[in-house]
């Protein structure tokens, strides 16, 4: 992918927040599994089924180690962040939410951490409360205390904003929540690929992320939950594998995590994800972060010097995202021209319309960084932005 040309120019891929490109070992691992190892897991006692099951369960252990969960049974495979949040919202809602109960999210959330909670509120007559952010794109954490009360049942926040790049103070949020016996869900879709996560140190109750944003395949994601929750929560899907005994009168469920993995799971996706996590680990997350931070600082500095560029997200604690508009030029027009120069950026709301509403805009241009981006590519982006300005002024 990264060696390709678009419109006769080398591709500059700056859309890593949307999805990442895959390392060759990940591609090879998936190809190899399809070619030589494919068999459905859990169901057979034959040779290949048993081997596939073992690899799938090893993938679960790799995820466990990557986020430092206490047990591999706390790792549930889903199809991605969106399905993790939806599944949890349904399940948590069924078990714990009554009319008048409250859920807190933040103003900067991705739609996938807003809409499932709104759907739950509609279903159960509960209330969604929102922690705002200031114009620099920083959560107004001091206002959290005023939002928490004895009806608060859950706080769900993103670790890193996909529109602003802000790294949120999730440790503080988790501590405050736990002082009030409130569980916390962390949307780590934009953070696992940049920052080492230790769910035990963080002490979060739930954490979700997608495989495709951390150099793994699409269609696979993770819902981490502390073990105690997995015994209390009902399954969010029914079907094969998640059962113990099925009769027409009553069905009993098997133990977590399989209780939450109805049907044939995306076992090849899980194995591909594990390969991606191994790749990231062997490359070194701290080195990746250092590299991306250097590029971010450089890009931010370059763009700040251009008086026709308005940058969104001024937090000092920031990661991998440059979100901006060019004065008097629509982001779609700018994005189209930038694309013609071989540079892939994203334009629009980035599935976070409330962030756009905060600033009174309808969208931004977003450049998002990955481990393979270079300083030259940032220079290309800055050059393209200047060209856009020259064309329009
Ligand atoms: N949360 C955040 C912060 C995201 O950036 C994204 C993807 N843009 C999602 C959730 C949803 O992830 P997916 O589409 O892989 O389910």
């Amino acid at each position: 992918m990264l060696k390709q040309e678009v419109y006769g120019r080398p591709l500059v891929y700056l859309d890593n927040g949307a999805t990442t490109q895959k390392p060759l070992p990940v591609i090879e691992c998936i190809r190899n599994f399809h070619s030589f190892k494919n068999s459905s897991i859990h169901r057979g006692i034959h040779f290949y089924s048993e081997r596939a099951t073992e690899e799938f369960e090893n993938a679960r252990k790799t995820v466990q180690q990557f986020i430092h969960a206490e047990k591999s049974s706390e790792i549930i495979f889903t199809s991605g962040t969106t399905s993790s949040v939806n599944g949890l919202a349904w399940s948590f809602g069924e078990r714990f939410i009554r009319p008048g109960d409250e859920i807190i999210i933040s103003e900067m959330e991705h739609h996938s951490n807003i809409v499932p909670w709104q759907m739950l509120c509609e279903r159960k007559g509960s209330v969604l409360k929102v922690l705002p952010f200031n114009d620099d794109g920083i959560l107004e954490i001091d206002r959290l205390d005023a939002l928490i009360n004895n009806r608060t049942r859950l706080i769900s926040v993103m670790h890193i904003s996909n529109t602003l790049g802000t790294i949120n103070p999730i440790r503080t949020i988790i501590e405050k929540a736990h002082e009030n016996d409130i569980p916390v869900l962390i949307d780590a879709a934009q953070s696992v690929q940049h920052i080492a996560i230790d769910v035990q140190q963080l002490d979060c109750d739930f954490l979700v992320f997608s495989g495709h944003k951390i150099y793994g395949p699409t269609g696979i994601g993770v819902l981490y939950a502390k073990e105690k929750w997995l015994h209390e929560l009902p399954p969010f899907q029914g079907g094969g594998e998640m059962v113990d005994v099925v009769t027409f009168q009553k069905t009993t469920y098997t133990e977590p995590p399989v209780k939450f993995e109805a049907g044939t799971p995306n076992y090849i996706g899980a194995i591909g994800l594990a390969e991606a996590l191994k790749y990231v680990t062997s490359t070194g997350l701290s080195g990746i972060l250092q590299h991306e931070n250097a590029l971010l600082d450089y890009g931010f500095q370059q763009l700040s010097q251009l008086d026709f560029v308005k940058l969104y997200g001024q937090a000092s604690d920031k990661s991998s995202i440059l979100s901006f508009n060019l004065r008097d030029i629509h982001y779609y027009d700018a994005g189209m021209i930038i694309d013609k120069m071989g540079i892939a950026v994203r334009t629009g709301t980035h599935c976070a319309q409330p962030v756009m509403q905060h600033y009174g805009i309808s969208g931004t241009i977003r450049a998002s960084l990955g481990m393979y981006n270079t300083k030259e590519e940032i220079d290309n982006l800055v050059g393209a932005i200047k060209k856009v300005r020259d064309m329009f002024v």
Side-chain angles (χ1 to χ4, degrees), residues 17-19 79-85 108-113 158-163 187-191 193 208-213 218-221 321 346 350-351 366:
T19 202
S79 66
T81 303
T82 303
S83 74
S84 295
V85 180
M108 65 173 74
E109 296 308 313
H110 186 278
H111 296 160
S112 64
N113 198 25
M158 63 193 344
H159 189 183
I160 294 183
S161 161
N162 64 313
T163 47
D187 172 358
Q190 294 292 345
S191 64
Q193 62 278 52
V208 295
F209 67 93
S210 299
H212 69 103
K213 292 182 198 278
T218 47
I220 187 76
I321 306 265
R346 188 146 289 249
H350 320 300
C351 296
R366 182 187 75 180

Side-chain angles (χ1 to χ4, degrees), residues 192-340:
V192 276
Q193 62 278 52
H194 305 295
I195 298 180
I197 300 268
D198 184 326
V199 288
Q200 290 186 78
Q201 257 184 24
L202 276 175
D203 200 27
C204 56
D205 297 86
F206 308 102
L207 183 131
V208 295
F209 67 93
S210 299
H212 69 103
K213 292 182 198 278
I214 184 162
Y215 309 101
T218 47
I220 187 76
V222 169
L223 165 60
Y224 157 82
K226 270 188 196 163
E227 189 181 34
K228 66 167 185 173
W229 293 110
L230 293 177
H231 290 295
E232 289 203 52
L233 291 170
F236 40 80
Q237 283 188 315
E241 284 306 310
M242 48 76 73
V243 294
D244 184 16
V245 177
V246 180
T247 67
F248 287 117
Q249 285 69 44
K250 187 173 168 60
T251 289
T252 52
Y253 307 130
T254 190
E255 293 297 307
V258 178
K259 172 181 159 189
F260 297 94
E261 292 175 349
T264 305
N266 182 0
Y267 52 92
I268 303 187
I271 290 160
L273 169 60
E275 193 65 27
L277 299 184
K278 285 178 199 159
Y279 186 91
V280 168
T281 304
S282 70
T283 306
L285 250 185
S286 62
I288 292 173
L289 181 66
Q290 218 179 350
H291 171 70
E292 290 170 346
N293 278 350
L295 293 183
L296 181 73
D297 289 348
Y298 178 67
F300 200 85
Q301 203 187 350
Q302 294 292 306
L303 294 186
S304 303
Q305 284 167 12
L306 305 175
D307 61 358
F308 61 98
V309 174
K310 164 116 180 90
L311 279 154
Y312 301 92
Q314 311 278 342
S316 54
D317 235 359
K318 192 173 152 78
S319 160
S320 70
I321 306 265
L322 291 164
S323 216
F324 55 93
N325 270 321
L326 310 182
R327 195 196 301 142
D328 301 333
I329 304 171
H330 196 278
Y331 48 86
Y332 279 148
D333 295 332
M336 269 169 55
I337 296 165
I338 293 170
D339 168 54
K340 291 288 179 295

Side-chain angles (χ1 to χ4, degrees), residues 109 138 151 280 326 371 382:
E109 296 308 313
I138 300 170
R151 297 307 302 267
V280 168
L326 310 182
M371 62 163 110
V382 174

Side-chain angles (χ1 to χ4, degrees), residues 302 306 308 326 381-391:
Q302 294 292 306
L306 305 175
F308 61 98
L326 310 182
L381 174 69
V382 174
I385 289 168
K386 287 181 182 163
K387 272 210 179 111
V388 174
R389 188 246 344 241
D390 293 346
M391 286 173 77

